Amino acid sequence: MKKVWALVLTTAMALSVLSGCSGSQKPEAAAASGSQEQKTEEQKTEGEKTEAAGNSEKETVTLRMWGGVPAEAGPQAACDNFNELYKDKGIQVEYERFVNDDTGNLKLETNLLSGTGVDLYMTYATDVLAKRAGGNMALDLTDLMARDGFDLKQYFGNMAEAYFVDGKPYSIPTKLDQYGIVINKDMFDAAGIEIPTEWTYEEFAETARKLTHGEGQDKVYGMFWNSQQDLTYLFTYLVAQTNGGDPMYLSGTETSFTDPVVVKSVDLINSMMNVDKTSPTHTDSVTQKLSQEGMFLTGKSAMTVGPWMVRSIKDTATYPHDFTTAFAPYPVVEKGQRNYTQGGYGDHLCINPKSENIDAAWEFAKWYATEGMIPVVEGGRVPAANTYNPEEVAKAFLNGAEDHIDLDSAMKILITPADNYAVPSITNHIAEVKKVATEELEKIFIGQQTVEEGMAKAKERADALLK
């Protein structure tokens, strides 16, 4: 061991001497070395200037995009397409999925307010958009649009301005929200019922009665309202077709909760749940955690409330079924009362004002809205912009489900744009108004109050908020 340590010390001393020698060059040597270093730098400046600048320009910005749709249902493919197109332009995007429920939206907003983790994100409801715009969680896009000459009317028509908040654009609408009743065509055919192109509340309720049969675990319901997800859209989709795009309002200072069309719409839903028993009750939907996939795609209901599960209809590996799905318009309160088409714009793409990459995020937003959405069409999301080829959209929508989706009804109800949408225009205290409606509707549907009592209370409470 003594010999080993002696060898270590000897080696260390030798290295120290060598280090000292290397640090004590003669002036001539140092000058020559400096001259050589300067000459190399000059050569680099002349010969490699363009390459160095190019490398600097190619420094990649990585955007973080949050959305509520599973990555495999189209968003990841859209991001991959963007990354390929923009790999030489220094912009890449990563997709983060959040669940579009209270918990998921809280997680998103926490990240937005902290200023970390989110550059762009999707908002799925107008009341939430208004909240985020007012809470400094969504960027006012006015200046960016003016700078680039990006006119929303050019791509989305006049309806785009219906989603402004306080007269300003805080998002780019990307999806055409055109919905209708989802139908098990095989069950309709077996019962000798044609796919409706027009029907009233009573005709709709009667159809549900004809299609309901069985008891207990073997019961097949005519309708599944999916009430555990959101109580307000159940009646607002129905009401909008007669009263227009603000189904919860008469004006900016008064709600419509005691309007006859509203009351009849809520009564239709309540009667189907609790009187006719043609739909699972709200209590069962909540306590049993029922879902559209679990009810409709397993053949336990002949109809359900909306087509946002198209991606699941296509996924026969996860949700095996062999029947054809068709679509019908929502029923109207009485014959001749279809004044509007239920529909509008959704999937509002917003930019986090705290993002350090706002210009890059804006590039992605423009690209996605006007040319990048074909992969998500396969998941059932129809683009809102007029820049897409309708045939390409229809082909993508049916891709993988040619034997499971009725093309004719899908084109009429979901894909072909209408010219009389029920466009929203009032957002006054919309989040609070919706909360009041939800609380009173829940009491109605679990039998604690009548429809008339509950909607009168909703109006009294919500009107007080507005005033």
Side-chain angles (χ1 to χ4, degrees):
M1 287 297 297
K2 288 181 180 179
K3 290 181 180 180
V4 170
W5 279 111
L7 179 60
V8 169
L9 290 172
T10 302
T11 303
M13 291 175 65
L15 289 172
S16 177
V17 171
L18 288 173
S19 175
C21 292
S22 65
S24 58
Q25 293 184 39
K26 292 182 180 180
E28 300 83 7
S33 175
S35 174
Q36 181 63 38
E37 288 174 2
Q38 183 65 32
K39 182 177 179 182
T40 302
E41 186 60 35
E42 288 174 355
Q43 290 174 340
K44 188 181 295 182
T45 300
E46 294 298 326
E48 302 177 26
K49 183 176 180 180
T50 301
E51 182 180 350
N55 289 336
S56 176
E57 291 173 0
K58 292 177 183 177
E59 184 175 348
T60 300
V61 169
T62 301
L63 301 171
R64 292 147 304 179
M65 160 71 185
W66 284 44
V69 177
E72 65 273 13
Q76 187 58 57
C79 290
D80 290 344
N81 290 344
F82 177 86
N83 290 341
E84 180 63 25
L85 287 170
Y86 278 75
K87 64 182 180 183
D88 295 329
K89 299 178 183 179
I91 308 175
Q92 298 286 273
V93 62
E94 296 177 352
Y95 184 74
E96 176 82 16
R97 195 262 174 119
F98 72 95
V99 179
N100 184 29
D101 59 12
D102 290 344
T103 302
N105 279 288
L106 178 60
K107 178 182 178 182
L108 168 61
E109 290 174 359
T110 300
N111 278 271
L112 290 172
L113 290 169
S114 70
T116 60
V118 188
D119 294 293
L120 309 98
Y121 64 93
M122 287 292 183
T123 294
Y124 297 99
T126 54
D127 58 318
V128 179
L129 178 62
K131 169 191 168 186
R132 289 171 178 169
N136 196 32
M137 289 180 277
L139 181 71
D140 177 1
L141 303 176
T142 302
D143 292 342
L144 290 172
M145 289 180 178
R147 184 193 72 187
D148 294 355
F150 189 86
D151 184 0
L152 285 180
K153 289 184 180 180
Q154 176 184 346
Y155 300 108
F156 306 99
N158 292 331
M159 191 166 67
E161 293 186 358
Y163 301 93
F164 284 12
V165 179
D166 295 330
K168 296 178 181 180
Y170 287 88
S171 69
I172 298 180
T174 62
K175 179 168 73 80
L176 176 62
D177 274 336
Q178 195 164 273
Y179 296 151
I181 297 294
V182 184
I183 287 171
N184 183 320
K185 187 175 182 296
D186 291 23
M187 288 189 183
F188 270 63
D189 290 345
I193 304 171
E194 293 186 2
I195 304 301
T197 56
E198 191 61 74
W199 45 357
T200 65
Y201 286 1
E202 181 49 43
E203 290 169 336
F204 174 71
E206 178 60 26
T207 299
R209 287 191 284 267
K210 290 179 179 179
L211 293 165
T212 300
H213 58 88
E215 297 291 338
Q217 294 296 317
D218 297 325
K219 184 170 183 176
V220 174
Y221 292 92
M223 177 66 184
F224 174 57
W225 282 108
N226 200 36
S227 63
Q228 78 293 340
Q229 188 174 58
D230 189 319
L231 283 172
T232 59
Y233 67 49
L234 303 183
F235 80 90
T236 56
Y237 288 170
L238 303 176
V239 172
Q241 300 172 114
T242 299
N243 290 0
D246 299 303
M248 293 192 290
Y249 294 89
L250 292 177
S251 69
T253 58
E254 185 180 5
T255 59
S256 63
F257 292 141
T258 55
D259 176 87
V261 176
V262 173
V263 173
K264 289 179 181 179
S265 300
V266 175
D267 187 61
L268 169 70
I269 300 163
N270 184 61
S271 294
M272 293 178 72
M273 287 181 178
N274 297 313
V275 180
D276 293 350
K277 308 292 185 181
T278 56
S279 173
T281 64
H282 177 60
T283 299
D284 285 346
S285 291
V286 172
T287 57
Q288 297 177 30
K289 298 181 180 179
L290 302 181
S291 67
Q292 287 184 302
E293 288 82 359
M295 291 297 296
F296 182 76
L297 294 181
T298 60
K300 290 187 177 295
S301 71
M303 299 183 286
T304 190
V305 69
W308 39 84
M309 60 165 182
V310 165
R311 65 175 180 265
S312 298
I313 294 171
K314 292 183 173 185
D315 185 4
T316 54
T318 305
Y319 307 103
H321 64 284
D322 57 6
F323 62 83
T324 298
T325 298
F327 307 91
Y330 289 120
V332 289
V333 60
E334 293 176 4
K335 189 175 181 179
Q337 291 299 302
R338 187 178 297 283
N339 302 323
Y340 303 91
T341 296
Q342 185 284 325
Y345 293 151
D347 284 19
H348 298 278
L349 185 52
C350 305
I351 295 176
N352 183 2
K354 295 182 177 66
S355 169
E356 296 178 354
N357 305 300
I358 285 176
D359 283 341
W362 174 238
E363 282 300 310
F364 175 82
K366 291 186 295 182
W367 173 86
Y368 178 84
T370 60
E371 58 181 295
M373 289 185 61
I374 290 299
V376 299
V377 174
E378 295 190 15
R381 311 184 94 77
V382 177
N386 57 18
T387 50
Y388 294 87
N389 183 321
E391 292 182 1
E392 185 180 8
V393 170
K395 181 179 179 181
F397 189 89
L398 289 173
N399 186 36
E402 292 83 357
D403 297 330
H404 297 288
I405 292 179
D406 178 67
L407 173 60
D408 183 58
S409 62
M411 287 295 295
K412 289 177 181 176
I413 303 302
L414 307 181
I415 299 175
T416 303
D419 58 5
N420 64 338
Y421 288 120
V423 179
S425 61
I426 303 173
T427 58
N428 190 15
H429 288 282
I430 189 169
E432 296 96 321
V433 169
K434 183 176 179 179
K435 182 174 184 293
V436 167
T438 298
E439 290 171 354
E440 299 300 338
L441 285 168
E442 188 154 45
K443 293 176 184 177
I444 292 170
F445 294 148
I446 65 175
Q448 291 184 354
Q449 58 189 2
T450 67
V451 172
E452 290 75 14
E453 290 170 344
M455 298 316 289
K457 289 179 183 177
K459 180 174 176 58
E460 181 181 0
R461 292 176 59 195
D463 284 4
L465 283 170
L466 297 181
K467 294 173 182 176

